[in-house]
Amino acid sequence: QNYPNPFNPTTTIGYVLKEKTTTKLILLNAIGEEVVVLVNEEQDKGFHKVYFNASTLASGVYFYQLKAGSFVQTRKMILLK
């Protein structure tokens, strides 16, 4: 999960990869449209952090989706300005 949540305007998203794999981390709006690609590269196994600044986005509910190999996970986050 990202922290802090709710956030304004920055948050940190942390995740662990079990093996070296192609990783994609994207931000989606409330209706599932892609807003920004945060990560799109091959990454080594282990813990990774992404710092995200949402100062240009409107307040509201967003989702981030992590795709790593066959693993896919989507989580909710709230931007409050």
Side-chain angles (χ1 to χ4, degrees):
Q1 185 66 46
N2 67 302
Y3 61 91
N5 191 22
F7 67 100
N8 177 25
T10 60
T11 189
T12 302
I13 301 169
Y15 55 93
V16 176
L17 300 177
K18 294 185 180 188
E19 60 188 24
K20 184 175 182 175
T21 188
T22 300
T23 305
K24 189 170 186 180
L25 181 64
I26 59 174
L27 183 72
L28 306 167
N29 63 19
I31 59 172
E33 296 172 329
E34 187 176 295
V35 176
V36 66
V37 176
L38 301 171
V39 174
N40 189 13
E41 64 187 16
E42 186 170 77
Q43 292 186 318
D44 290 327
K45 72 176 185 176
F47 183 73
H48 298 268
K49 278 186 186 178
V50 175
Y51 300 100
F52 177 59
N53 185 331
S55 59
T56 61
L57 299 177
S59 295
V61 175
Y62 292 88
F63 297 90
Y64 62 91
Q65 185 174 71
L66 175 66
K67 296 179 182 179
S70 62
F71 177 81
V72 178
Q73 183 176 56
T74 304
R75 296 269 176 108
K76 180 171 81 171
M77 60 185 188
I78 301 170
L79 172 59
L80 291 178
K81 290 190 175 183

